[in-house]
Amino acid sequence: MTEPAPDPRLLVRERGLAGYLADFRRRISGGELGSLPVVVGLVIIAVVFEIQTGTFLTPGNLSNISVYIAGPGIMAVGIVLVLLLGEIDLSIGSMAGLSAALWAVLSVTHGVNDLLAIALAIAAGAAVGTLHGFFFAKIGVPAFVVTLAGFLGWSGLQIWVMGNEGTINIPRDSLVRDFTTHYFSDIAFAYGLAALITAGYVLALLRTERRRERAALATRPVAEIVLRGGLVALASFTVAYTLNQHRGLPLALVIFLGILFAGHFVLRHTTYGRQIYAVGGNAEAARRAGINVVRVRMTVFTIASSLAALGGLFWAAQAGGASKSLGSGNLLMNVIAAAVIGGTSLFGGRGWVWSALLGTLVIQSITTGLNLLGMAAEIQYMITGAVLLLAVVLDSVSRRTQRTAGRT
């Protein structure tokens, strides 16, 4: 009887540092780039703009970036889910504008309780997403066509809802205003969140290793767990220290991170999350495996549109009010670009919610840096477009390399 082949990950860990370096080279040569290009890109962007401006890496500027990424980043989380299905949603910009208009008219114009108006605006987003999902998943209309129709229709409804009001300003005591203006000034909040993130990450690693040990699978050595936890702690506490040098921990960042962690848990640790990947990888195979493809598709579009509605409220808070043009312009393209630049594949079945954070950071860093240099908007568009094209090229080359290496 032949011996079973040893787990290659176990062999890597037994060889120590040399084994990890060899595995890293193998992954790169095999097209398994992961988030490496985005992280390297962020470092290059930060270094270049700091050299050019001298103010890019100041606590105030970095704190502003952490607030600016919240709205489009929340919307990008929904787009990540849609892209994982191998589909697209072109209506998120108009949904963001409609959500802001609904909230403003209900809360500011008609005096509806602020929290209730927020809930109704997000509920409207869920209803719109369900409608899109129904036409796509149940009727069979291509998602591109359904959401393009939504893009046009909801933009018109947004203008109708606003009525004669060109802009409705946000009151100073509004909860929506707090989305982007409230900071937890006590340093304990930022450091406490950093400690919570680090502890949660280490506990998740230990839980995974216990499950692998019970299943008689290869496990990480203690030194690797300590190293990984140390790197997360270093990053988390560095960010916390930087934010505390300005005004403290922004509420916008807390909400955004909460949505990211919730999305990560759903995708990586639930049956529903695995079903999303399965449907995006091969819908017919997923259907034959007993997955309710229609339900998965409809719920993903519902979630995406709900997040677009929430992101629209952040966008309104940042703009100072709701208007007939809110959500138009380059918002849609930037949100989709953020998901793709962050590492989510346009071809479906591959990506993670942290793409929303990484991609939005790239776009906002470029925008902020160019604004500090006084560059014109058209230059920003060209550079962002070039970065998006590079991300898609890397994704295409990576997939081709993995197919050649027999890994897909």
Side-chain angles (χ1 to χ4, degrees):
M1 185 176 179
T2 58
E3 290 288 334
D7 190 323
R9 288 170 296 188
L10 183 58
L11 296 178
V12 167
R13 290 158 185 164
E14 285 180 345
R15 292 173 58 193
L17 181 60
Y20 284 104
L21 291 176
D23 184 58
F24 177 75
R25 288 193 295 269
R26 178 190 66 80
R27 288 175 178 272
I28 295 299
S29 62
E32 300 178 47
L33 301 177
S35 300
L36 180 63
V38 190
V39 174
V40 172
L42 278 171
V43 172
I44 293 173
I45 289 169
V47 171
V48 169
F49 282 131
E50 177 62 22
I51 292 174
Q52 293 293 318
T53 66
T55 58
F56 184 82
L57 293 179
T58 58
N61 188 58
L62 295 178
S63 179
N64 288 337
I65 289 176
S66 73
V67 173
Y68 294 153
I69 64 174
I74 289 170
M75 298 170 68
V77 172
I79 285 295
V80 167
L81 299 180
V82 174
L83 290 178
L84 286 176
L85 293 180
E87 303 298 338
I88 194 67
D89 188 342
L90 300 177
S91 69
I92 57 169
S94 58
M95 186 61 243
L98 175 59
S99 167
L102 288 171
W103 167 81
V105 169
L106 288 172
S107 177
V108 181
T109 304
H110 295 289
V112 175
N113 177 272
D114 211 18
L115 189 59
L116 176 59
I118 292 172
L120 291 173
I122 297 174
V128 165
T130 303
L131 183 64
H132 291 167
F134 172 80
F135 279 108
F136 164 56
K138 200 75 173 178
I139 305 301
V141 182
F144 179 89
V145 176
V146 172
T147 57
L148 178 59
F151 165 75
L152 298 171
W154 308 130
S155 295
L157 182 58
Q158 173 188 353
I159 296 172
W160 181 82
V161 168
M162 291 292 294
N164 296 325
E165 299 287 344
T167 301
I168 299 178
N169 295 324
I170 299 179
R172 295 184 62 84
D173 59 348
S174 170
L175 289 175
V176 170
R177 181 184 176 88
D178 289 341
F179 282 167
T180 57
T181 61
H182 183 77
Y183 291 77
F184 299 99
S185 56
D186 191 327
I187 63 173
F189 283 100
Y191 289 130
L193 181 60
L196 183 63
I197 290 173
T198 302
Y201 178 75
V202 172
L203 289 174
L205 280 181
L206 292 173
R207 179 175 176 270
T208 300
E209 296 312 304
R210 283 197 298 269
R211 293 177 61 186
R212 294 185 63 83
E213 186 178 8
R214 288 196 297 267
L217 298 174
T219 58
R220 293 185 177 93
V222 175
E224 181 181 342
I225 295 176
V226 172
L227 177 61
R228 285 171 174 261
L231 292 175
V232 171
L234 177 63
S236 301
F237 279 93
T238 299
V239 172
Y241 172 80
T242 303
L243 294 175
N244 280 333
Q245 298 308 300
H246 183 55
R247 298 175 60 185
L249 179 64
L251 174 62
L253 182 60
V254 174
I255 296 174
F256 183 26
L257 288 176
I259 291 173
L260 285 170
F261 279 111
H264 175 81
F265 177 81
V266 169
L267 281 180
R268 297 294 184 179
H269 300 286
T270 68
T271 301
Y272 176 69
R274 290 189 288 271
Q275 289 176 347
I276 292 176
Y277 282 105
V279 172
N282 190 320
E284 180 58 25
R287 185 187 66 79
R288 292 176 180 270
I291 295 175
N292 189 334
V293 175
V294 171
R295 180 184 66 86
V296 171
R297 285 173 166 170
M298 287 187 64
T299 52
V300 164
F301 274 88
T302 300
I303 294 170
S305 195
S306 300
L307 292 176
L310 177 59
L313 298 179
F314 277 81
W315 201 253
Q318 187 175 321
S323 67
K324 293 182 177 180
S325 61
L326 187 76
S328 59
N330 62 341
L331 175 60
L332 168 64
M333 292 299 103
N334 278 347
V335 170
I336 296 176
V340 176
I341 290 171
T344 299
S345 176
L346 281 169
F347 305 101
R350 192 174 67 179
W352 60 336
V353 294
W354 297 101
S355 301
L357 172 62
L358 295 173
T360 309
L361 267 176
V362 168
I363 292 177
Q364 187 58 54
S365 296
I366 292 173
T367 301
T368 300
L370 293 177
N371 284 338
L372 290 174
L373 292 173
M375 292 288 184
E378 55 266 26
I379 302 298
Q380 299 179 22
Y381 293 158
M382 288 188 284
I383 292 177
T384 303
V387 173
L388 173 60
L389 177 60
L390 178 61
V392 177
V393 169
L394 286 174
D395 180 46
S396 300
V397 172
S398 173
R399 292 176 67 90
R400 185 181 305 169
T401 305
Q402 290 188 40
R403 284 197 299 268
T404 303
R407 293 192 175 95
T408 57

